[in-house]
Amino acid sequence: MYQDQNAPLDLRVADLLGKMTLEEKIQQLNQQAFGLNLNANNQGQTLHDVAPDIGSLIFLNDDPVERNSIQRRAMEESRLGIPILFGFDTIHGMRTVYPIPLAQACSWNPALVTQAAAMAARETKLTGIDWTFSPMIDVARDPRWGRIAESYGEDPYTVSVFGVATVQGYQGVELTESSGVAACLKHFAGYGASEGGRDYRATDISAQALWETYLPPFESGVKAGAATLMSGFNDISGVPASANRYLLTEVLKKCWAHAGFVVSDWNSIEQLVAQGVAKDRKEAGLKAFEAGVEMDMVDRIYADHLQELLDEGKLSMDSINDAVARVLRVKFRLGLFERPYTPIVPVSERYLRPDDRRIAAQLAEESMVLLKNDGGVLPISPAVKSLAVIGPMVKDQENLLGCWSGNAKAEDVETLFDGLTREFGGGADLIYARGCDFDGDDDSGFAEAVAAAAHADVVVLCLGEKKSWSGENASRSTIALPGIQEKLAGCLRQVGKPLVLVLSNGRPLELRRLAPLADAILEIWQPGIAGGTPMAGILSGRVNPSGRLAISFPVVTGQIPIYVGMRSSARPNDGNYQDIPGEPLYPFGHGLSYAFFHYGRAILSQDKVGMDEKVTVQVPVTNTGSVEGQETVFWYISDPVCSISRPMKELKYFEKKSIKPGETVVFTFEIAPLRDLSYCDSTGKRLLEAGDFHVRVKDQQVSFELSGC
Ligand code: BGC
């Protein structure tokens, strides 16, 4: 019956499970890597000969024909013909790589992110992959942590919205119906709290912080139907995530009723030994399995020890059956039993299709953030006859891709220089000088750069980070750019020409010294293959920038942590560092436009509301400028008196809309008390407390009273 695609899913699972031997069951919980791993942190464990009854493979190879031949052995040579589940890290695109997740969030356009993820899913599927280890929905508040690039930033609500948008893109409305790939919410949970921003370190997370900051994106992702989760590397206040029964079983399986499975992170089961909670591999396996990790990523611990643990009575057959059923359910949901093979289409139809490039370019365009524009130096006037284009990023391809760039090829990347040439080439001369490298102390290129600047009307200086400076195991003790880049900017400033700074990086930067040197600053993040034209379009004014920061830019590294959802100081005007301002240099939500948006008076539908009623707040926004632009309105709630203190303000809703010059658009936030005014205590219980609430929008605040709870 398990082969009957019309039979109900649970019956198919039960039928198949009933036919499997213990050995076959254990193999379903085993995942190995196949092919060359480009992640330098995860080496040395690749398979050559794949057992046909293995549960899953990380397929580090871009040839679907090879994948199909492995799958054929599983279908034809394993006793029951159970398909292998092929996984891979498609994080921000497979070949048509688009902006890093941190940048995506700055677009405030979840629908576009869904489109991009659906495009990535198609390319992933046609490469032979059924399952991507994404989205990473770790709330990240320490920009020293390299993996901040992979997250949607510092705010739990924002991370939830973009996590769900991504899951929907990968899986479609319902995985069973779609031609998509299975999503994997990672890293469950709290990995973003790695101490001091160092990677793989312990996290000290209170139960309150867990429930109000780190778990909400996962709860939203589970509700959105995400098929799988990955357990984190981090030790959470003494209980590593990969041995954390509270999280993996009590919360995920019992409280949220997740019916899919959890895969460990790479080697995170064996690492329980280093983390000091297991004496050897076998005990590590027992702890992870008992906690609720169903699939062992590359450790072979389940394959080596589960049977023994069962024989010794340390594990029950029921728990093994439950784990295997979870894995099989995902395979059935994906339709793998019916469609085990990847359709082979020509490479030109598989990747980089024109429509897909357009999606990547639009997302790049909407994620770029204009941080500064003094004296309206941007857009660059058509009267400008020569541009000096300087810096190590100008002709770079590799680094614009960012970390985890799938199977992207650097040669597919449009450089910033190409984009500028297309945009300005007809009307202005472009004078290029590299100036310096990303780091080191070689300033021998400075003279050429200064000469270029002296000959030009405007200087466009393109600085930033190499892609290897963010991502896994790529933390940095300072988030400033290396001194050589700052020094180059200083020399160019002295030339006295208008200076436009274009930054490409995988984390917020410390811009304390750089910002005053530039008249304008455009943050382009790591835009992927299609960043040159969007960047140049913003510089020329063909495109009106609409990105807003989803992460704060601290004044200096020592100001970390500083983020939007902080709690109040006991002395609200005191307690900041003596030597810097109390606010970040560029706060969450910051971003300029070439349009001007005037906010009218915010109006509430009523000033008293019962717990089952809704209250609406509206604000009219008028474009008083001369060009059309997109404005994102951010709605925050503050709850000044509570049994458990709340952050000073919490983002509850946002909306991005286009407004024409002279036009007024009304933005509306409908507040549902249970959804928007309640909060979790340290056990995850939702509390809704009567009292006054403030709604904040831009620089206004309106208040109402909640009663009846
Ligand atoms: C990373 C995961 C990734 C896995 C497989 C690990 O090192 O932490 O995020 O999915 O490798 O590549």
Side-chain angles (χ1 to χ4, degrees), residues 39 42 89 133 147 186-187 230 233 265-266 297 404 472:
N39 178 352
N42 295 342
D89 290 279
F133 306 132
R147 302 200 78 167
K186 72 186 190 186
H187 306 80
M230 186 184 292
F233 285 129
D265 202 347
W266 185 289
M297 185 185 283
W404 295 105
E472 186 179 342

Side-chain angles (χ1 to χ4, degrees), residues 513-537:
R513 288 166 301 282
L514 270 177
L517 301 176
D519 298 290
I521 306 178
L522 179 65
E523 174 57 71
I524 67 165
W525 303 109
Q526 287 155 331
I529 61 153
T533 296
M535 179 277 305

Side-chain angles (χ1 to χ4, degrees), residues 106-109 546-548 589 597 599 630-634 654-657 667 698:
C106 298
S107 74
W108 300 100
N109 190 342
S546 67
R548 307 283 185 267
F597 299 112
Y599 282 57
Q630 299 191 74
E631 174 66 336
T632 299
V633 169
F634 297 96
F654 61 84
E655 198 175 8
K656 181 177 190 178
K657 287 186 184 173
F667 288 75
K698 197 82 171 183

